[in-house]
Amino acid sequence: MERIAVIDFETTGLSPAQGDRATEIAAVILEGGRVVDRYQSLMNAGVRVPAHIEALTGISNTMLRQAPPADRVMGEVADFVGDCPLVAHNAAFDSRFWDAELARITRQRRQEFACSLLLARRLMPDAPSHKLGALVEYARLPVAGRYHRALADAEMAASLLLRLTDELRTRHQLPGISHALLRSIQATPKQQLERCLARHRQAAA
């Protein structure tokens, strides 16, 4: 698979449209089946972290007061990622914050997201849950650190993605795995998955 970036945000809430902001961002670069680079930073957006979010993430208002400004962090992580295709676990969530925080520094995303949660629903249908922690346990992947901290979650999402691509190569006999293929699989209804995979096997033959 081509060089890709797996990202994860921690935030003050669920929706930038309702005024929620990012509090931490991490990105790990995958190339040749392994992590080759990492970026992580807290980010001070000038907003308070609600108590229940602080309890979930461990990111406090005191920590954020000492963190670099959000606009500087977003500029740095956008430069770090460059044009790499993006992956996130529950990409619908992370892509909203990526786009909203980029817009605040008058920048725009140029690449697409793939979603390891949607891919796991297709390729690990027997998992008891498709939340990241449940999938890490189900697939016996290493726990990289505290859940709901950006770098640990990005590292674990990257491990999950590598396991899913291994599934495609070994169990489904797909020789060439690309970001575009992952996006095609995640958008395929469950009952049409085998037809989708057969089409890609035939195209690669």
Coordinates of all heavy atoms in Angstrom, one line a residue, residues 13-72:
G13 N -16.0 17.9 22.3 CA -17.3 17.4 22.1 C -17.4 16.7 20.7 O -16.4 16.3 20.1
L14 N -18.6 16.5 20.2 CA -18.9 15.7 19.1 C -18.9 16.4 17.7 O -18.8 15.8 16.7 CB -20.2 14.9 19.2 CG -20.2 13.9 20.4 CD1 -21.6 13.3 20.5 CD2 -19.2 12.8 20.2
S15 N -19.1 17.7 17.8 CA -19.4 18.4 16.5 C -18.8 19.8 16.4 O -19.1 20.7 17.2 CB -20.9 18.5 16.3 OG -21.2 19.3 15.2
P16 N -17.9 20.1 15.4 CA -17.4 21.4 15.3 C -18.5 22.4 14.9 O -18.4 23.6 15.1 CB -16.3 21.3 14.2 CG -16.7 20.0 13.5 CD -17.3 19.1 14.5
A17 N -19.6 21.9 14.3 CA -20.7 22.7 13.9 C -21.4 23.3 15.1 O -22.1 24.4 15.0 CB -21.7 22.0 13.0
Q18 N -21.2 22.7 16.3 CA -21.8 23.2 17.5 C -20.8 23.9 18.4 O -21.0 24.0 19.6 CB -22.5 22.0 18.3 CG -23.6 21.4 17.5 CD -24.3 20.3 18.2 OE1 -24.0 20.0 19.4 NE2 -25.2 19.6 17.5
G19 N -19.6 24.2 17.8 CA -18.6 25.0 18.6 C -17.6 24.1 19.3 O -16.7 24.7 19.9
D20 N -17.6 22.8 19.1 CA -16.6 22.0 19.7 C -15.3 22.1 18.9 O -15.2 22.4 17.7 CB -17.0 20.5 19.7 CG -18.2 20.3 20.6 OD1 -18.2 20.8 21.7 OD2 -19.2 19.6 20.1
R21 N -14.2 22.0 19.7 CA -12.8 22.2 19.1 C -11.9 21.0 19.4 O -12.2 20.3 20.4 CB -12.2 23.5 19.7 CG -12.9 24.8 19.3 CD -12.9 25.1 17.8 NE -11.5 25.2 17.3 CZ -10.7 26.3 17.4 NH1 -11.2 27.4 18.0 NH2 -9.5 26.2 16.9
A22 N -10.9 20.9 18.7 CA -9.9 19.9 18.9 C -9.0 20.3 20.1 O -8.7 21.5 20.3 CB -9.0 19.7 17.7
T23 N -8.6 19.3 20.9 CA -7.7 19.5 22.0 C -6.3 18.8 21.8 O -5.4 19.1 22.5 CB -8.3 19.0 23.3 OG1 -8.7 17.6 23.2 CG2 -9.5 19.8 23.7
E24 N -6.3 17.8 20.9 CA -5.1 17.0 20.7 C -5.2 16.4 19.3 O -6.3 16.0 18.9 CB -4.9 15.9 21.7 CG -3.6 15.2 21.6 CD -3.4 14.1 22.7 OE1 -4.4 13.5 23.1 OE2 -2.2 14.0 23.2
I25 N -4.1 16.3 18.6 CA -4.1 15.6 17.3 C -2.8 14.7 17.2 O -1.8 15.1 17.8 CB -4.0 16.7 16.1 CG1 -3.8 16.0 14.8 CG2 -2.9 17.7 16.4 CD1 -5.0 15.3 14.3
A26 N -2.9 13.6 16.6 CA -1.8 12.7 16.3 C -1.9 12.2 14.9 O -3.0 12.0 14.4 CB -1.7 11.6 17.3
A27 N -0.8 12.0 14.3 CA -0.8 11.4 13.0 C 0.4 10.4 12.9 O 1.5 10.8 13.4 CB -0.6 12.4 11.8
V28 N 0.2 9.2 12.4 CA 1.3 8.3 12.2 C 1.3 7.9 10.7 O 0.3 7.8 10.1 CB 1.1 7.0 13.1 CG1 1.2 7.3 14.6 CG2 -0.1 6.2 12.8
I29 N 2.5 7.9 10.2 CA 2.7 7.6 8.8 C 3.1 6.1 8.6 O 4.0 5.6 9.3 CB 3.9 8.4 8.2 CG1 3.6 9.9 8.4 CG2 4.0 8.1 6.7 CD1 2.4 10.5 7.7
L30 N 2.3 5.4 7.8 CA 2.5 4.0 7.5 C 3.2 3.9 6.1 O 2.7 4.5 5.1 CB 1.2 3.2 7.5 CG 0.6 2.8 8.8 CD1 -0.7 2.2 8.6 CD2 1.5 1.9 9.6
E31 N 4.2 3.1 6.0 CA 4.8 2.9 4.7 C 5.5 1.5 4.8 O 6.2 1.2 5.8 CB 5.9 3.9 4.4 CG 6.4 3.9 3.0 CD 7.3 5.1 2.6 OE1 7.8 5.8 3.6 OE2 7.4 5.4 1.4
G32 N 5.3 0.7 3.8 CA 5.9 -0.6 3.8 C 5.5 -1.5 4.9 O 6.3 -2.4 5.4
G33 N 4.2 -1.3 5.4 CA 3.7 -2.2 6.4 C 4.2 -1.9 7.8 O 4.0 -2.7 8.8
R34 N 4.7 -0.7 8.1 CA 5.1 -0.3 9.4 C 5.0 1.2 9.6 O 4.9 2.0 8.6 CB 6.6 -0.8 9.7 CG 7.6 -0.1 8.8 CD 9.0 -0.8 9.0 NE 10.0 -0.1 8.2 CZ 10.8 0.8 8.7 NH1 10.7 1.3 9.9 NH2 11.7 1.4 7.9
V35 N 5.0 1.6 10.9 CA 5.0 3.1 11.2 C 6.4 3.6 11.0 O 7.4 3.1 11.6 CB 4.5 3.3 12.6 CG1 4.7 4.8 13.0 CG2 3.1 2.8 12.8
V36 N 6.5 4.7 10.2 CA 7.8 5.2 9.9 C 8.0 6.7 10.4 O 9.1 7.2 10.5 CB 8.1 5.3 8.4 CG1 8.2 3.8 7.8 CG2 7.1 6.1 7.6
D37 N 6.9 7.3 10.9 CA 7.0 8.6 11.5 C 5.8 8.9 12.3 O 4.7 8.3 12.0 CB 7.2 9.7 10.4 CG 8.0 10.9 10.8 OD1 8.3 11.0 12.0 OD2 8.3 11.8 10.0
R38 N 5.9 9.9 13.2 CA 4.8 10.2 14.1 C 4.8 11.7 14.4 O 5.8 12.3 14.4 CB 4.9 9.5 15.5 CG 4.9 8.0 15.4 CD 5.4 7.4 16.8 NE 5.3 6.0 16.8 CZ 6.2 5.2 16.3 NH1 7.3 5.6 15.7 NH2 6.0 3.8 16.4
Y39 N 3.6 12.2 14.6 CA 3.4 13.6 15.1 C 2.3 13.6 16.1 O 1.3 12.9 16.0 CB 3.0 14.5 13.9 CG 2.7 16.0 14.4 CD1 3.6 16.9 14.3 CD2 1.4 16.3 15.0 CE1 3.4 18.2 14.8 CE2 1.2 17.6 15.4 CZ 2.2 18.5 15.3 OH 1.9 19.8 15.8
Q40 N 2.5 14.3 17.2 CA 1.5 14.4 18.3 C 1.6 15.8 19.0 O 2.7 16.2 19.2 CB 1.6 13.3 19.3 CG 0.7 13.4 20.5 CD 1.1 14.3 21.6 OE1 2.3 14.5 21.8 NE2 0.2 14.8 22.4
S41 N 0.5 16.4 19.3 CA 0.5 17.6 20.0 C -0.8 17.9 20.7 O -1.9 17.7 20.0 CB 0.9 18.8 19.2 OG 1.0 20.0 20.0
L42 N -0.8 18.4 21.9 CA -2.0 19.1 22.4 C -2.2 20.4 21.7 O -1.2 20.9 21.0 CB -1.8 19.4 23.9 CG -1.8 18.1 24.8 CD1 -1.4 18.6 26.3 CD2 -3.1 17.4 24.9
M43 N -3.4 20.9 21.7 CA -3.6 22.2 21.0 C -4.6 23.1 21.7 O -5.7 22.6 22.1 CB -4.1 21.9 19.5 CG -5.2 20.9 19.4 SD -5.3 20.1 17.8 CE -5.8 21.5 16.8
N44 N -4.2 24.3 21.9 CA -5.0 25.2 22.7 C -5.9 26.1 21.8 O -5.4 26.9 21.1 CB -4.1 26.1 23.6 CG -4.8 27.1 24.4 OD1 -6.0 27.1 24.4 ND2 -4.1 27.8 25.2
A45 N -7.1 25.8 21.8 CA -8.1 26.5 21.0 C -8.8 27.6 21.7 O -9.7 28.2 21.2 CB -9.1 25.5 20.4
G46 N -8.4 27.8 23.0 CA -9.1 28.9 23.8 C -10.5 28.5 24.3 O -11.2 29.4 24.6
V47 N -10.8 27.2 24.4 CA -12.1 26.8 24.9 C -11.9 25.9 26.0 O -10.9 25.2 26.2 CB -12.9 26.1 23.8 CG1 -13.2 27.1 22.6 CG2 -12.2 24.9 23.2
R48 N -12.9 25.8 26.9 CA -12.8 25.0 28.1 C -13.2 23.5 27.7 O -14.1 23.3 26.9 CB -13.8 25.5 29.2 CG -13.2 26.7 29.9 CD -14.0 27.0 31.2 NE -13.9 25.9 32.1 CZ -12.8 25.7 32.9 NH1 -11.8 26.4 32.8 NH2 -12.8 24.7 33.8
V49 N -12.5 22.6 28.4 CA -12.9 21.2 28.3 C -13.9 20.8 29.3 O -13.7 21.1 30.5 CB -11.6 20.3 28.5 CG1 -12.0 18.8 28.4 CG2 -10.5 20.7 27.5
P50 N -15.1 20.3 28.9 CA -16.1 19.9 29.9 C -15.5 18.8 30.8 O -14.7 18.0 30.5 CB -17.2 19.4 29.0 CG -17.0 19.9 27.7 CD -15.5 20.1 27.5
A51 N -16.1 18.7 32.0 CA -15.6 17.8 33.1 C -15.7 16.4 32.6 O -14.7 15.6 32.8 CB -16.3 18.0 34.4
H52 N -16.7 16.0 31.9 CA -16.9 14.6 31.5 C -15.9 14.2 30.4 O -15.4 13.1 30.3 CB -18.3 14.3 31.0 CG -18.7 14.9 29.7 ND1 -19.1 16.3 29.6 CD2 -18.9 14.4 28.5 CE1 -19.4 16.6 28.4 NE2 -19.3 15.5 27.7
I53 N -15.5 15.2 29.6 CA -14.5 15.0 28.5 C -13.1 14.9 29.2 O -12.3 14.0 28.8 CB -14.5 16.1 27.5 CG1 -15.9 16.1 26.7 CG2 -13.4 15.9 26.5 CD1 -16.1 14.9 25.9
E54 N -12.8 15.7 30.2 CA -11.6 15.6 30.9 C -11.4 14.2 31.6 O -10.4 13.6 31.5 CB -11.5 16.7 31.9 CG -10.1 16.7 32.7 CD -10.0 17.8 33.7 OE1 -10.7 18.9 33.5 OE2 -9.2 17.7 34.6
A55 N -12.5 13.7 32.1 CA -12.5 12.4 32.7 C -12.2 11.3 31.7 O -11.5 10.3 32.0 CB -13.8 12.1 33.5
L56 N -12.8 11.5 30.5 CA -12.6 10.5 29.5 C -11.2 10.5 28.9 O -10.6 9.4 28.7 CB -13.6 10.8 28.3 CG -13.5 9.8 27.1 CD1 -14.1 8.4 27.5 CD2 -14.4 10.4 26.0
T57 N -10.6 11.6 28.6 CA -9.4 11.7 27.9 C -8.2 11.9 28.9 O -7.0 11.7 28.5 CB -9.4 12.9 26.9 OG1 -9.5 14.1 27.6 CG2 -10.5 12.7 25.9
G58 N -8.4 12.5 30.0 CA -7.3 12.9 30.9 C -6.7 14.2 30.5 O -5.7 14.7 31.1
I59 N -7.2 14.9 29.5 CA -6.7 16.2 29.0 C -7.4 17.3 29.8 O -8.6 17.5 29.7 CB -6.9 16.4 27.5 CG1 -6.1 15.3 26.7 CG2 -6.5 17.8 27.1 CD1 -6.4 15.3 25.2
S60 N -6.7 18.0 30.6 CA -7.3 19.1 31.5 C -7.1 20.4 30.9 O -6.3 20.7 30.0 CB -6.6 19.0 32.8 OG -5.3 19.5 32.7
N61 N -7.9 21.4 31.4 CA -7.8 22.8 31.0 C -6.4 23.3 31.4 O -5.9 24.1 30.6 CB -8.9 23.6 31.7 CG -10.3 23.3 31.1 OD1 -10.5 23.6 29.9 ND2 -11.1 22.6 31.9
T62 N -5.8 22.9 32.5 CA -4.5 23.3 32.9 C -3.5 22.9 31.8 O -2.6 23.7 31.4 CB -4.1 22.7 34.2 OG1 -5.0 23.2 35.2 CG2 -2.7 23.1 34.6
M63 N -3.6 21.6 31.3 CA -2.7 21.1 30.3 C -2.8 22.0 29.0 O -1.8 22.3 28.4 CB -3.0 19.7 30.0 CG -2.6 18.7 31.1 SD -3.4 17.1 30.9 CE -2.6 16.5 29.4
L64 N -4.0 22.3 28.7 CA -4.3 23.1 27.4 C -3.8 24.5 27.5 O -3.3 25.1 26.5 CB -5.7 23.0 27.0 CG -6.2 21.6 26.6 CD1 -7.7 21.7 26.1 CD2 -5.4 21.0 25.5
R65 N -3.8 25.1 28.7 CA -3.3 26.5 28.8 C -1.8 26.5 28.5 O -1.3 27.6 28.0 CB -3.6 27.0 30.2 CG -5.0 27.5 30.5 CD -5.1 28.3 31.7 NE -4.9 27.5 32.9 CZ -6.0 26.9 33.5 NH1 -7.2 27.0 33.1 NH2 -5.7 26.2 34.6
Q66 N -1.1 25.4 28.7 CA 0.3 25.4 28.4 C 0.6 24.9 27.0 O 1.8 24.8 26.6 CB 1.0 24.5 29.5 CG 0.8 25.0 30.9 CD 1.3 24.0 31.9 OE1 2.1 23.2 31.7 NE2 0.7 24.1 33.1
A67 N -0.4 24.5 26.3 CA -0.2 23.9 24.9 C -0.1 24.9 23.9 O -0.5 26.1 24.0 CB -1.4 23.0 24.6
P68 N 0.6 24.6 22.7 CA 0.7 25.5 21.6 C -0.7 25.9 21.0 O -1.6 25.1 21.1 CB 1.6 24.8 20.6 CG 1.5 23.4 21.0 CD 1.2 23.3 22.4
P69 N -0.8 27.0 20.4 CA -2.1 27.4 19.8 C -2.5 26.4 18.7 O -1.7 25.9 18.0 CB -1.8 28.8 19.1 CG -0.5 29.3 19.8 CD 0.3 28.1 20.2
A70 N -3.8 26.3 18.6 CA -4.4 25.3 17.7 C -4.0 25.6 16.2 O -3.7 24.7 15.5 CB -5.9 25.3 17.8
D71 N -3.9 26.9 15.9 CA -3.6 27.2 14.5 C -2.2 26.8 14.1 O -1.9 26.3 13.0 CB -3.9 28.7 14.2 CG -3.1 29.6 15.1 OD1 -2.5 29.2 16.1 OD2 -3.1 30.9 14.8
R72 N -1.3 27.0 15.1 CA 0.1 26.5 14.8 C 0.2 25.0 14.7 O 0.8 24.5 13.8 CB 1.0 27.0 15.9 CG 2.5 26.6 15.6 CD 3.4 26.5 16.9 NE 3.3 27.7 17.7 CZ 3.7 27.8 19.0 NH1 4.4 26.7 19.5 NH2 3.6 28.9 19.7

